Amino acid sequence: MGAEADLVHAPLLTYASMLSLLSLCPPFVILLWYTMVHADGSVLQTWDYLRQHGQQGLIDIWPKPTATAWKIIACYAAFEAALQLLLPGKRVEGPVSPAGNKPVYKANGVLAYVVTLVTYLGLWWFGIFNPTIVYDHLGEIFSALIFGSFVFCIFLYVKGHVAPSSTDSGSSGNLIIDFYWGMELYPRIGENFDIKVFTNCRFGMMSWAVLAVTYCIKQYESYGKLSDSMLVNTILMLVYVTKFFWWEAGYWNTMDIAHDRAGFYICWGCLVWVPSIYTSPGMYLVNHPVNLGVKLAIFILVAGILCIYINYDCDRQRQEFRRTNGKCLVWGKAPSKIVASYTTTTGQTKTSLLLTSGWWGLARHFHYVPEILGAFFWTVPALFDHFLPYFYVVFLTILLFDRAKRDDDRCKTKYGKYWKMYCDKVPSRIIPGIY
Ligand code: NDP
């Protein structure tokens, strides 16, 4: 089991950060929503309120998870689960797991994404369901998600102990680590319903697109028109999520799916943190219809799309390289590579290719640069009156710098001298020549 391997920071720091994230993330989600929706996006205003009212202030603003909130979540989750199970899709094999298994998936993400957005817009257009209801109950929905997802993580913990779906499962012997990092690599319900595909892709990432559209509709219905800042923000977020679903089968090869186990970190993060924090620049813009003017709006839009494209191209390059076993062109030339061998937990020796040219020759995690810049460009339409819309960009930067370190440490353990060869050839971790 990889829990020890996950302890790439000093154990004390790891436990402290796990406990703080477990206890601080839920109130943070509520405070962010409250500030965006009820305190004009001003951290100072919320801070003043909390100073005056203390702990009771937080309790007072924490919305109760109402029946409406539960109904919205249940309908959405059931709809997404049904699409995941029922829509047709190509059979795709995931990467070989540490225990030597090869999980099989059904690639129907694009179809599920199109059906979801068309259904949502159709419900609005034909007057069956108004998305502004979602915005008006957002606090209650986040509150219900916080508690519901926590219970869901307990279910994952118990399932990992009593009914694991594969041999890629196990306990670290520590309850907090097992709950936080998870026990199973790819838990399933039955043979076909992959829980991480549901939590990460079909619930989490899909909610990002659904909420982006919701914020747009809410601003339109409140002000009778749509500001260009909201338009740029929504288009960029939708381009990003569309890119995600276009490349979803590739995502099943990434750390989130292939290395991180199903626990609080990944699953609670995707069920709660993604819908609330990742969408927050749009949440802010609902009540702040900034007017950018055509030139600035187009400049931000083009710059954002370029960053999202480069990020996509980095992922595509790596996956194409692995899929063709290095027999492809990278930036018009045969790729330079390292043939690395490693041993699985069951003692089998396998080989893997490391690409050392193209984007992957600039820095070992260069793809995080356009990821962060893309997020900056869909936030900057909010301009600079308040800091809070930028929280996601700051959070993402910290997350990805930490992730690059975790990934480097994991790859060093996995590939040993071959990883060192890669580091010698490509010394920068994220920013070429700087870091
Ligand atoms: P990836 O999984 O795409 O890349 C890391 C893995 O790729 C390594 O663990 C290693 O796995 C393999 N690898 C590393 N170097 C090479 C190389 N030179 N050649 C070939 N394979 C290599 O990383 P992420 O999961 O972090 O990122 C995937 C995407 O998701 C990115 O676009 C990223 O920006 C995005 N992302 C977004 C986040 C968000 O919150 N918005 C959070 C995290 C990621 P192996 O064991 O197979 O060798």
Side-chain angles (χ1 to χ4, degrees), residues 9 91 285:
H9 305 297
R91 181 184 181 279
L285 284 169

Side-chain angles (χ1 to χ4, degrees), residues 278 315 322 355 368 371 403 407 410 414-415 422:
Y278 285 38
D315 291 330
R322 281 268 172 99
L355 175 61
Y368 293 158
E371 173 88 32
R403 193 178 174 91
D407 193 47
R410 196 192 65 77
K414 179 174 175 182
Y415 295 119
Y422 183 31

Side-chain angles (χ1 to χ4, degrees), residues 272-384:
V272 186
W273 200 249
V274 171
S276 56
I277 308 299
Y278 285 38
T279 68
S280 59
M283 202 191 301
Y284 171 85
L285 284 169
V286 171
N287 297 319
H288 299 85
V290 179
N291 196 25
L292 300 170
V294 179
K295 269 193 204 151
L296 185 58
I298 290 180
F299 173 77
I300 297 173
L301 189 65
V302 171
I305 290 176
L306 188 68
C307 289
I308 296 170
Y309 172 74
I310 294 174
N311 170 258
Y312 162 78
D313 200 49
C314 296
D315 291 330
R316 187 203 57 77
Q317 204 170 64
R318 177 175 87 79
Q319 269 144 25
E320 184 67 4
F321 166 78
R322 281 268 172 99
R323 192 183 62 76
T324 58
N325 220 359
K327 293 183 185 64
C328 60
L329 292 182
V330 170
W331 288 355
K333 289 193 217 139
S336 81
K337 58 179 183 277
I338 292 168
V339 181
S341 67
Y342 65 97
T343 314
T344 66
T345 51
T346 52
Q348 290 169 286
T349 302
K350 305 234 172 211
T351 51
S352 205
L353 296 183
L354 296 172
L355 175 61
T356 60
S357 61
W359 300 114
W360 297 81
L362 297 182
R364 299 193 299 279
H365 301 274
F366 176 75
H367 56 330
Y368 293 158
V369 174
E371 173 88 32
I372 293 166
L373 287 176
F376 172 78
F377 283 118
W378 68 62
T379 307
V380 82
L383 299 182
F384 302 102

Side-chain angles (χ1 to χ4, degrees), residues 95-140:
V96 182
S97 70
N101 299 315
K102 234 184 197 190
V104 172
Y105 301 99
K106 185 157 72 164
N108 57 9
V110 174
L111 209 51
Y113 178 62
V114 172
V115 171
T116 300
L117 287 188
V118 169
T119 307
Y120 196 53
L121 289 170
L123 291 175
W124 175 51
W125 191 254
F126 292 109
I128 301 164
F129 178 80
N130 192 329
T132 57
I133 296 173
V134 174
Y135 180 84
D136 297 338
H137 291 81
L138 207 53
E140 298 148 40

Side-chain angles (χ1 to χ4, degrees), residues 1-62:
M1 159 79 192
E4 301 78 33
D6 287 327
L7 293 178
V8 294
H9 305 297
L12 197 64
L13 181 69
T14 307
Y15 286 120
S17 58
M18 281 194 294
L19 289 173
S20 353
L21 287 177
L22 279 164
S23 53
L24 296 179
C25 286
F28 186 84
V29 167
I30 296 301
L31 285 173
L32 180 126
W33 158 78
Y34 173 80
T35 309
M36 293 297 195
V37 175
H38 295 294
D40 194 34
S42 161
V43 176
L44 277 182
Q45 207 170 308
T46 301
W47 175 250
D48 273 350
Y49 170 83
L50 287 178
R51 239 185 13 182
Q52 281 165 29
H53 298 86
Q55 207 179 351
Q56 188 57 39
L58 178 61
I59 295 169
D60 289 345
I61 60 176
W62 197 307

